[in-house]
Amino acid sequence: PRYAGTTKLGYASGAPEPARNTVMRTLIAIELPEATRRELQGMVEHLRRSGIRASWVRPDRMHLTLRFLGEIDDDQAGIAGEFLAKGCSGISAFECAVQGAGAFPDVRHPSVIWAGVGPLEGGLSEVQTVAEKSAASIDLKPENRPFRPHLTLGRIRRPEEAGQLGPALAPLADFHGRPFRVAGVTLFSSTLTPQGPLYERIRECRF
């Protein structure tokens, strides 16, 4: 069954619609405005010019993940979506901005290159708590790591791809992007393809 508030807008063209009562790979995330995507693309281009070879994420597929739910079924998606909508009804719109860049686990042994998002205090922390409670509503175990808001720019597959990542990231450490308004969150399904994940909006929850 489809859920109240569901949209069939394709986050990426060609995303297949989840079949009835099937298992879906899902996540709760904040979508980004075009201006922020352009900022992130600028960061990627800087790193490319610096000789960093990575599997770069397309700007139109970037989002701020609040909680990865993993594989859940249709009924669980409905329950999580309802809980998410109720939790979001008590939140006011807030502003965030891209802040700095780095690598996980560190620049010497990178696997993920990221751009930070902040401030964490206030609305962002509040809505992440709602996302975590939505996961708990379908009996998912709580995350055992603190929430570090970030946007994935690229993934390093082999050490030689990283090049001089530390010096390349240095000019981005103090980057402060233009603030953007967050007025809702989205429950997505994610389908993995050789060209990267394709996302479909299951439920949009406005503040």
Side-chain angles (χ1 to χ4, degrees):
R2 280 278 166 182
Y3 325 118
T6 295
T7 71
K8 294 184 179 179
L9 299 173
Y11 186 15
S13 61
E17 182 174 345
R20 184 183 180 90
N21 294 326
T22 56
V23 172
M24 299 172 283
R25 185 174 184 267
T26 55
L27 63 149
I28 298 169
I30 292 172
E31 298 189 59
L32 306 173
E34 185 58 34
T36 301
R37 295 182 191 279
R38 288 195 295 270
E39 290 176 348
L40 297 167
Q41 182 60 37
M43 289 177 138
V44 168
E45 290 304 321
H46 162 76
L47 293 169
R48 283 181 187 272
R49 291 193 300 270
S50 300
I52 310 304
R53 293 179 291 118
S55 177
W56 302 108
V57 179
R58 284 173 36 177
D60 64 340
R61 295 181 183 178
M62 292 181 181
H63 51 258
L64 176 56
T65 300
L66 299 171
R67 181 59 154 91
F68 180 71
L69 303 180
E71 294 190 344
I72 63 176
D73 63 30
D74 219 29
D75 291 337
Q76 289 175 305
I79 293 169
E82 287 292 339
F83 199 99
L84 187 64
K86 290 178 181 177
C88 286
S89 66
I91 296 177
S92 299
F94 58 92
E95 288 192 340
C96 284
V98 176
Q99 298 180 354
F104 292 139
D106 57 56
V107 294
R108 292 184 179 181
H109 307 92
S111 60
V112 173
I113 303 172
W114 51 263
V117 178
L120 176 57
E121 300 78 12
L124 183 54
S125 177
E126 189 176 1
V127 75
Q128 197 278 328
T129 298
V130 170
E132 187 63 46
K133 289 181 177 178
S134 297
S137 74
I138 53 174
D139 298 323
L140 297 184
K141 294 181 179 179
E143 288 281 7
N144 56 14
R145 295 175 295 181
F147 177 56
R148 296 182 62 181
H150 66 279
L151 303 156
T152 298
L153 300 178
R155 294 177 174 83
I156 301 292
R157 306 299 185 187
R158 296 182 299 276
E160 61 270 20
E161 294 178 342
Q164 296 296 314
L165 184 58
L169 284 172
L172 303 177
D174 297 323
F175 180 89
H176 287 274
R178 181 178 179 179
F180 61 91
R181 186 172 184 268
V182 179
V185 300
T186 303
L187 173 63
F188 284 110
S189 68
S190 170
T191 302
L192 299 179
T193 75
Q195 293 74 40
L198 297 176
Y199 300 97
E200 183 187 10
R201 300 179 182 96
I202 297 175
R203 181 154 189 171
E204 295 179 274
C205 303
R206 310 295 292 176
F207 301 156

